[in-house]
Each structure stands twice: as C-alpha cells, then as structure tokens.
Amino acid sequence: MPSRFEPIIIGFLCNWCSYTGADLAGVARLQYPPNLRPIRVMCTGMVHPDLVMEAFSQGADGVMIMGCHPGECHYLEGNTKAAVRAKVISVILQDIGVDPNRFELKWISSAEGSVFAQLITDFTMRIKKLGPHKVKSCEYRDRETIR
Ligand code: FES
C-alpha cells in the first residue's frame, strides 16, 4: 500500500541562483513534488544552523539549503561559509538523534531549472522513505547556541 505521507520540506534558496533556478523550473512547467516550502534568502551564508534546527523543531521533515555554485556567490564567500556550516549542521543533527540525511546543501544556478526539479524530486523521495520526522522539540534549544 503506497504511503500517504507527504513530507514538509523547508528550502532556504539563495535569491541570485537557486531561487531563480526554481523560478525557471516553474516557467518551464517542469514537474516536481509540491512538498518544498521555499524561503528566499539573499545568500546561503545567511543561513545560520539555528534556522535549520528551528525548522526541524517546528515540524519540518527535511531541510535543504540551495545556493550559488562555488566561486559564483554574489557575496564572494557566503556559500563557502554555508558549506562549512552544513558540516556542523550534520554533526548537530546526529547529536540530537535526527538522521542527517534529512538535511542537504546543494548548488543550483539560475540556468538549472531541470536540475532543481530533479533535486527536489530526489530529496522528497528520500524523505518519504525516511518517514515523518518525530519532533523532539527542543533538545536543541536547550543547548548552548553554536556560533
Ligand atoms: S549569493 Fe548565492 S550563495 Fe551567496
């Protein structure tokens, strides 16, 4: 019997590349699952690990950060910072008992609408297989904030 579970996926999308790539996917009428809740940010470098943890604590089943390819960040090093933070995020998720496969950092350019659609499709399938995230509301909040 097919699962009726429809995950909630929070996506932090860089304004300059990934958000435009998502827009291109829409304009091109590419099909992808409707599970993504996009949040437009100016740069992936703005996405602090606290935001990802907050998304999970508020019930997200998966969280993605999508930004400009390395070397193409409009703020020069924002995506480099995001890549470092992504490693920290994965460690924190493991520490609090959340499968780090529920989190993904990807690079999508404004010309990659089809890549965006495929990425969302694949990530949604992965989260469906993992099942609903059981919110452990706030083991993370009780911890010292990591900066
Ligand atoms: S401006 Fe896109 S990741 Fe920095």
Side-chain angles (χ1 to χ4, degrees), residues 47-58:
V47 183
H48 192 274
D50 278 347
L51 292 173
V52 175
M53 299 307 149
E54 183 67 17
F56 279 117
S57 70
Q58 294 287 323

Side-chain angles (χ1 to χ4, degrees), residues 14-18 42-45 66-69 72-79 107:
C14 156
N15 177 64
W16 303 104
C17 294
S18 305
M42 292 308 288
C43 176
T44 55
M66 289 171 268
C68 305
H69 284 273
E72 296 179 9
C73 174
H74 288 229
Y75 304 96
L76 304 179
E77 296 179 348
N79 54 5
W107 311 130

